[in-house]
């Protein structure tokens, strides 16, 4: 009896088998047919992007409309801010009573304008501006417990690069109040400088008056000493326009 082993196994055909004929050769017709309708890679990516955008067209449209609505609401509801600027010319100078004596000695400080710009934002000047009638009660300061701190924070000063002018700017939703506030601050600064110069001039005048009294006392003492000397030397006291009379007569006799 002859026994034969069954070597048949399960086999699943795929598309690769369709390209191979019974003799083991590749079937070019089947291979060509398998590539029919396959677009290039770049064209496939382009079409896929367009298709994705087209499928999401309603989402994109809603997003655009939503952003437009938000922008319109912001423009309608947002409070406009107005900026008011006041400029002041600052010159470094001493009291006129001593300026002639210090001419050529007092020089312009490089930081003088920057110092004055900071002085313009100092608490004493801002407090004086807020104490001006009608300033503290403005709507700009409504709801602020510390108006001086708010004014110091929002007031901006800038020194000119090619001149000696300081610009003071203030922002407020109320344009008329912004202009009035910044002008009041500048006026208080000018008043402070004028008061300081008057005080300096008064001090200089006091010093000069004291010096004059001391010099007058010294002069009186010198005059008194000279009179005492003349009284002790009577022969030298008889003088004319030409000189001492006694000495001239003695010269003639000799």
């Amino acid at each position: 009896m002859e026994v034969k082993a069954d070597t048949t196994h399960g086999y699943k055909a795929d598309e690769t088998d369709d390209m191979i004929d019974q003799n083991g050769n590749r079937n070019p017709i089947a291979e060509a047919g398998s590539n029919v309708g396959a677009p290039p890679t770049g064209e496939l990516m382009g079409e896929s992007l367009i298709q994705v955008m087209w499928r999401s067209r309603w989402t994109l449209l809603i997003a655009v409309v939503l952003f437009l609505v938000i922008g319109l609401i912001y423009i309608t509801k947002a409070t406009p801010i107005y900026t008011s600027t006041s400029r002041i010319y600052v010159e470094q100078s001493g009291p006129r009573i001593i300026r002639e004596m210090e001419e050529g000695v007092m020089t312009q400080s490089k930081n003088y304008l920057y110092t004055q710009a900071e002085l313009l934002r100092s608490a004493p000047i801002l407090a004086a501006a807020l104490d001006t009638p009608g300033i503290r009660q403005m709507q700009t300061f409504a709801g602020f417990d510390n108006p001086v701190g708010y004014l110091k924070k929002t007031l901006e000063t800038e020194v000119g690069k090619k001149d000696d002018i300081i610009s003071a700017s203030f922002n407020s939703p109320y344009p008329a109040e912004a202009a009035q506030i910044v002008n009041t601050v500048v006026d208080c600064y000018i008043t402070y400088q004028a008061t300081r110069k008057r005080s300096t001039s008064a001090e200089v005048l006091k010093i000069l008056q004291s010096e004059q009294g001391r010099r007058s006392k010294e002069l009186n003492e010198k005059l008194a000493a000279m009179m005492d000397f003349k009284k002790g030397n009577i022969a030298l006291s008889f003088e004319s326009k030409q000189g001492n009379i006694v000495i001239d007569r003695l010269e003639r006799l000799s």
Side-chain angles (χ1 to χ4, degrees), residues 65-81:
V65 173
L66 181 62
F67 282 121
L68 290 177
V69 171
I70 293 175
L72 182 61
I73 293 175
Y74 175 79
I75 294 175
T76 305
K77 299 295 183 179
T79 303
I81 302 298

Side-chain angles (χ1 to χ4, degrees), residues 156-172:
E156 297 180 358
T157 56
E158 182 180 3
V159 177
K161 296 181 179 180
K162 298 182 179 180
D163 49 43
D164 296 336
I165 295 178
I166 298 178
S167 300
S169 302
F170 182 74
N171 300 327
S172 174

